[in-house]
Amino acid sequence: MLKSHVKMEPTILAIETSCDETAAAVVKGMLVLGQETYSQLAKHASFGGVVPSIAKLEHELKIDEVINSALNRAQMTLDQMDMIAVTIGPGLAIALEVGVNKAKNLALELNKPLIAVNHMAGHLFSALANKLSLEIEYPSLGILVSGGHSEFILMQSLDSMVKIGETLDDACGEAFDKFARLVGLPYPGGPEVSKISMKVRDEYKLSEKNINGSLILNAKHIKTSKVLSLPIPLAYDKSFNLSYSGLKTAVKNLVASEIGVSNLQNVQDIAQLVKEKGLSASSVEHLCLLFESAAFLQIEKALEKVIKKNPDLKAIILGGGVVANSYFRDQMSTFAERHSLNLHIPTFELSTDNAAMIGIAAGMQCQLAQSNNKRAEEYGIFTVIEDIKKLDRQPGLSF
Ligand code: KG4
Ligand code: ZN
């Protein structure tokens, strides 16, 4: 057994390396004392997506520097940490491994407990950063939209969370990235699409129509009257699930028609043809505006069903990289107001991957372990040297 015990509000050094950000943070409760995030974006951009072997190498190169920087910002030293926390999954196996190994070595060297954190739990708690008290109202709905996941989590308490809906195929952020590649925009697609649609949103009028039992979203350019349409998959389905693969095929067909080629070709071929033939700036704008609106309307439709089924819902908590989208933030704010729900949104900085959220989630795990008087291990807190040595990354971990 390690020397230090689980404190009620320990000072935690958190490490996050699940994808293409190398991040570390010093957190106490919900207070972020210091943090650092090194984004590897520039290293992956020319490949059009994250290359796992490059991610691993970059994490290895940067991890010590990032940890030191987080500690410096907190004006603290490693010895002052009560515990070490690390993302164990979901994520890229060889990327997670770098953080997990680093955290294990630190915990063993410093004789401190190690907390294993689920990356999605981190996103769920990112909105609480630097709050003075735990302000979650129950039941709450967590809406997690990132590059790898899109899921709805119904929370009855910190200790009772159930996934009630998720994407059946592509994640929301992944769909943005694929759409962007299709129309010739750089990786990552989300921020690019969001920038373009924000610029032209006032030039379009959106309308919804039920055609043969399918919900269709139309975007009409006010000046030219040109209309482009996309279906909203699962809008009339009973479940709270999402699907972005159908949207991808529908938008591929729209792009084919914009460049005057057959829609029978696959996404890669259409993307290549877009490169060769070029897509006009006005087409790209129209498509970005429509795609962004359709991607988020699908979430809103699912939310309406969740609220109908759970009329006592008190709040919405947003998390994940897609929450950096300003239009989505505005839409969710209007939606919450319309349904008299409280809304918790992370800052732009803490929407995408970071270690502060991992430290906050780790703190919650400590709090639960204390208040429920259960074995710390049940909350992912390891104090036995042999258990720490055995801890492994879990790339496929789910909520
Ligand atoms: O949470 P995150 O940083 O990493 C994962 O855990 O996956 O999310 C990254 C995803 C990417 O797919 C990226 O395109 C998307 O978040 N994203 C956005 C925006 N900023 C980032 N999607 C839409 N609009 C944005 N402004
Ligand atoms: Zn993430």
Side-chain angles (χ1 to χ4, degrees):
M1 184 77 75
L2 299 180
K3 272 185 216 150
S4 37
H5 296 286
V6 178
K7 281 195 198 167
M8 190 63 185
E9 205 164 82
T11 303
I12 297 174
L13 171 69
I15 298 171
E16 152 68 42
T17 63
S18 67
C19 191
D20 59 346
E21 262 95 23
T22 316
V26 178
V27 173
K28 189 174 175 61
M30 289 177 292
L31 219 60
V32 184
L33 303 177
Q35 63 158 326
E36 182 65 89
T37 305
Y38 161 68
S39 169
Q40 308 173 351
L41 214 65
K43 306 281 175 184
H44 300 282
S46 63
F47 298 95
V50 177
V51 183
S53 56
I54 296 179
K56 173 185 157 76
L57 191 69
E58 288 295 309
H59 287 314
E60 283 169 346
L61 287 172
K62 292 287 178 181
I63 188 102
D64 287 330
E65 190 182 320
V66 164
I67 291 174
N68 286 336
S69 171
L71 287 166
N72 285 339
R73 288 186 175 179
Q75 296 187 307
M76 293 183 93
T77 60
L78 269 178
D79 298 339
Q80 290 172 289
M81 299 300 111
D82 295 313
M83 305 174 115
I84 310 294
V86 67
T87 305
I88 55 157
L92 298 170
I94 59 172
L96 287 163
E97 209 164 82
V98 180
V100 171
N101 285 340
K102 186 79 214 173
K104 282 164 71 168
N105 289 340
L106 281 176
L108 295 171
E109 268 168 39
L110 299 165
N111 219 17
K112 308 281 180 191
L114 182 63
I115 313 176
V117 180
N118 181 320
H119 181 80
M120 299 316 288
H123 276 307
L124 182 61
F125 294 123
S126 59
L128 302 178
N130 295 321
K131 292 267 157 51
L132 295 177
S133 60
L134 191 57
E135 292 168 352
I136 306 177
E137 308 80 2
Y138 300 109
S140 259
L141 183 74
I143 301 173
L144 303 179
V145 272
S146 70
H149 294 80
S150 304
E151 48 204 26
F152 299 124
I153 311 291
L154 189 62
M155 302 170 68
Q156 298 292 351
S157 73
L158 268 191
D159 214 9
S160 159
M161 303 190 202
V162 181
K163 181 157 61 178
I164 57 166
E166 65 187 324
T167 181
L168 300 176
D169 36 63
D170 293 348
C172 186
E174 181 185 6
F176 269 94
D177 297 337
K178 287 182 176 171
F179 164 74
R181 199 175 312 147
L182 175 69
V183 296
L185 296 171
Y187 174 84
E192 295 294 323
V193 175
S194 144
K195 243 185 281 166
I196 294 174
S197 3
M198 199 190 312
K199 203 177 69 193
V200 300
R201 189 157 282 285
D202 291 348
E203 299 171 23
Y204 292 85
K205 190 174 175 329
L206 296 173
S207 61
E208 294 168 30
K209 211 170 183 179
N210 177 341
I211 299 180
N212 302 328
S214 295
L215 183 66
I216 304 294
L217 178 69
N218 301 312
K220 178 176 174 181
H221 191 264
I222 297 166
K223 271 197 193 142
T224 64
S225 293
K226 178 176 170 178
V227 179
L228 290 180
S229 311
L230 279 176
I232 307 298
L234 304 180
Y236 299 135
D237 191 72
K238 275 202 196 102
S239 76
F240 308 136
N241 292 328
L242 304 167
S243 164
Y244 285 104
S245 164
L247 196 59
K248 180 179 66 188
T249 308
V251 82
K252 185 255 308 179
N253 293 344
L254 265 189
V255 173
S257 130
E258 285 293 291
I259 56 171
V261 299
S262 154
N263 66 18
L264 294 175
Q265 305 184 66
N266 66 31
V267 175
Q268 285 78 14
D269 291 344
I270 299 286
Q272 185 56 36
L273 285 166
V274 166
K275 261 192 203 154
E276 288 163 17
K277 290 172 169 271
L279 199 53
S280 72
S282 61
S283 280
V284 172
E285 287 168 2
H286 202 156
L287 288 161
C288 283
L289 179 286
L290 176 62
F291 180 83
E292 182 183 76
S293 309
F296 295 138
L297 184 59
Q298 196 182 158
I299 294 178
E300 206 173 317
K301 294 292 169 194
L303 281 184
E304 274 164 10
K305 289 180 269 182
V306 172
I307 286 173
K308 235 184 202 159
K309 191 88 186 273
N310 301 276
D312 56 341
L313 200 70
K314 303 265 188 331
I316 285 175
I317 307 174
L318 299 182
V322 179
V323 180
N325 185 292
S326 302
Y327 176 65
F328 183 53
R329 296 168 87 93
D330 289 349
Q331 289 293 95
M332 285 296 99
S333 186
T334 312
F335 183 88
E337 212 170 298
R338 193 163 71 235
H339 292 279
S340 305
L341 297 167
N342 285 326
L343 180 66
H344 303 278
I345 311 187
T347 59
F348 279 100
E349 192 191 18
L350 295 187
S351 298
T352 47
D353 288 351
N354 64 86
M357 67 184 195
I358 302 304
I360 295 168
M364 299 285 178
Q365 290 169 227
C366 291
Q367 198 180 313
L368 279 172
Q370 291 271 342
S371 50
N372 289 352
N373 221 0
K374 283 194 191 166
R375 285 174 62 245
E377 287 78 3
E378 288 183 37
Y379 291 97
I381 304 164
F382 299 95
T383 52
V384 177
I385 290 173
E386 280 315 307
D387 291 345
I388 294 180
K389 282 186 181 164
K390 269 192 278 178
L391 188 75
D392 202 1
R393 78 275 187 291
Q394 293 180 35
L397 189 68
S398 77
F399 205 93

